[in-house]
Amino acid sequence: MVLAHEIGHTLGIGHSDVPTAIMYPWYQKNITMLDEDDKMALESLYGPTQKFVHNPYNDKSTTTTMSTTTMQPTLHSTVTNICDIKSVDFMFLASTPSFPNFRLYIGFNRFLWKFDLFDIHIPLHSEYVKDYLPQKTQFEPISHIFQNSAGNLFAFNKLTGDCYTTSFPDLTILEINKVPIPTNSKVDVIFQTNSGQIFVFYDQAYYIEFNDGFKKILNRGRVSDRFLGLPKNPTAAFRYIDGYIYFFTQDTTTTTTYYKFSEYSRSVISSGPFDWNLFGIPWPNSSLKEQLKALLTRVLSIYE
């Protein structure tokens, strides 16, 4: 509580005369949440909070309806706030000279959110995933997107097996390849390591290691032999700025488990329930303690 009180001063807030406020000048036990007086002081300095995210698809209906004129489905997102997302279809980092800070792209249910890792604001608007794909691929079932070591975006068509390498951010197709895996096999995840190799997991048991661009197979084998501690059913994977590979398994429709993997020790070093605080993203719905933890996590990620 004392730390939170002093952070309040750092933000420019003076003392409060409300005994239940964190900014009350005398120490009070068991105060773990912001009082309304604290919130009013913050809003007077920085403006009101926005608890809900505008979504271009969102209206009072949460179902999928069919247009009688175009016979195309009209989508309505059931997610009005990104912090309500408990699982992801994909995540990837990307940067260009036009925005030198890394941005974290979060894909869920055909929608995309962007988050600047060195900004304190949460994403306020969702966008179409297809708008971040080349026009040729906008209506294809694309998954496993990431930015490779050359700065280009890689996207995989899970039905045809086509791999699109596109320039970023102008999204010009540079190359189209096929992932050379056994016929009728199902791709689970695709990701690139810090050292540049691309790994494809398939059939919940096997992997193939390629050089950048899928020009050459470097290795192949069982996931359990090369990636110690990983489960058999990862649904997404991406390389984060801390140097680790994060894998995700969707256990139920509302619960996801993360696995933090070190490519140097070739083992899982931590795992647990999925939490946005893993990536230093504080949500306004979180408790004060959780928001402070997210802030400190971001600071540590800069200096580690």
Side-chain angles (χ1 to χ4, degrees):
M1 179 191 167
V2 174
L3 174 61
H5 178 98
E6 298 307 325
I7 288 176
H9 284 315
T10 303
L11 293 173
I13 306 173
H15 283 145
S16 168
D17 57 3
V18 178
T20 55
I22 284 179
M23 297 312 297
Y24 189 66
W26 303 103
Y27 180 76
Q28 304 289 320
K29 292 183 178 180
N30 302 322
I31 295 180
T32 59
M33 300 293 291
L34 290 175
D35 185 83
E36 285 302 315
D37 191 67
D38 297 314
K39 294 178 182 178
M40 290 174 61
L42 285 168
E43 290 186 355
S44 69
L45 292 171
Y46 300 103
T49 59
Q50 294 179 304
K51 293 185 177 180
F52 298 98
V53 177
H54 168 72
N55 193 308
Y57 300 122
N58 189 53
D59 60 14
K60 294 181 180 180
S61 170
T62 57
T63 60
T64 300
T65 58
M66 189 70 73
S67 167
T68 57
T69 57
T70 63
M71 296 305 290
Q72 295 294 323
T74 301
L75 298 176
H76 300 288
S77 173
T78 58
V79 176
T80 56
N81 194 324
I82 191 174
C83 47
D84 294 329
I85 295 177
K86 305 303 181 185
S87 64
V88 296
D89 295 332
F90 63 84
M91 292 173 66
F92 68 91
L93 290 173
S95 67
T96 72
S98 59
F99 53 92
N101 292 339
F102 273 108
R103 289 180 180 175
L104 180 61
Y105 291 78
I106 302 160
F108 174 72
N109 194 23
R110 304 186 188 183
F111 302 95
L112 186 79
W113 286 263
K114 294 182 299 185
F115 181 79
D116 190 319
L117 294 180
F118 295 94
D119 192 351
I120 63 171
H121 297 96
I122 67 172
L124 294 180
H125 303 284
S126 62
E127 302 175 63
Y128 294 97
V129 170
K130 68 180 183 63
D131 289 342
Y132 283 80
L133 298 171
Q135 187 173 5
K136 170 182 169 59
T137 68
Q138 286 186 350
F139 298 100
E140 296 184 11
I142 296 295
S143 61
H144 311 305
I145 304 172
F146 63 85
Q147 186 178 41
N148 65 14
S149 55
N152 301 315
L153 279 192
F154 169 92
F156 173 72
N157 183 320
K158 59 186 178 182
L159 289 184
T160 66
D162 289 331
C163 305
Y164 297 94
T165 303
T166 66
S167 57
F168 185 75
D170 63 322
L171 303 180
T172 300
I173 294 180
L174 303 175
E175 196 172 12
I176 302 176
N177 296 300
K178 288 280 187 182
V179 173
I181 61 174
T183 305
N184 298 324
S185 292
K186 178 182 178 297
V187 171
D188 302 316
V189 295
I190 304 177
F191 61 93
Q192 187 172 46
T193 66
N194 292 281
S195 50
Q197 291 85 0
I198 295 177
F199 282 84
V200 178
F201 288 8
Y202 65 97
D203 293 345
Q204 296 190 358
Y206 305 99
Y207 76 87
I208 302 178
E209 178 184 1
F210 300 89
N211 65 341
D212 195 353
F214 296 99
K215 298 296 191 299
K216 181 180 180 182
I217 294 178
L218 304 178
N219 204 347
R220 63 171 70 228
R222 298 187 66 88
V223 171
S224 57
D225 294 334
R226 178 72 178 268
F227 296 84
L228 302 179
L230 281 186
K232 293 182 178 180
N233 58 335
T235 55
F238 86 110
R239 175 167 49 94
Y240 191 50
I241 57 173
D242 60 6
Y244 294 101
I245 311 295
Y246 286 81
F247 294 88
F248 304 97
T249 61
Q250 188 171 346
D251 307 315
T252 68
T253 56
T254 59
T255 61
T256 299
T257 300
Y258 82 91
Y259 297 83
K260 183 178 180 180
F261 183 85
S262 168
E263 65 178 280
Y264 304 106
S265 65
R266 295 190 178 183
S267 62
V268 171
I269 63 173
S270 67
S271 63
F274 176 80
D275 187 336
W276 288 110
N277 284 324
L278 284 168
F279 310 112
I281 303 177
W283 301 123
N285 295 347
S286 301
S287 68
L288 178 62
K289 180 179 177 181
E290 290 171 335
Q291 292 190 53
L292 286 172
K293 179 181 176 182
L295 175 63
L296 293 174
T297 299
R298 185 184 297 108
V299 172
L300 288 173
S301 70
I302 296 172
Y303 291 102
E304 280 184 339

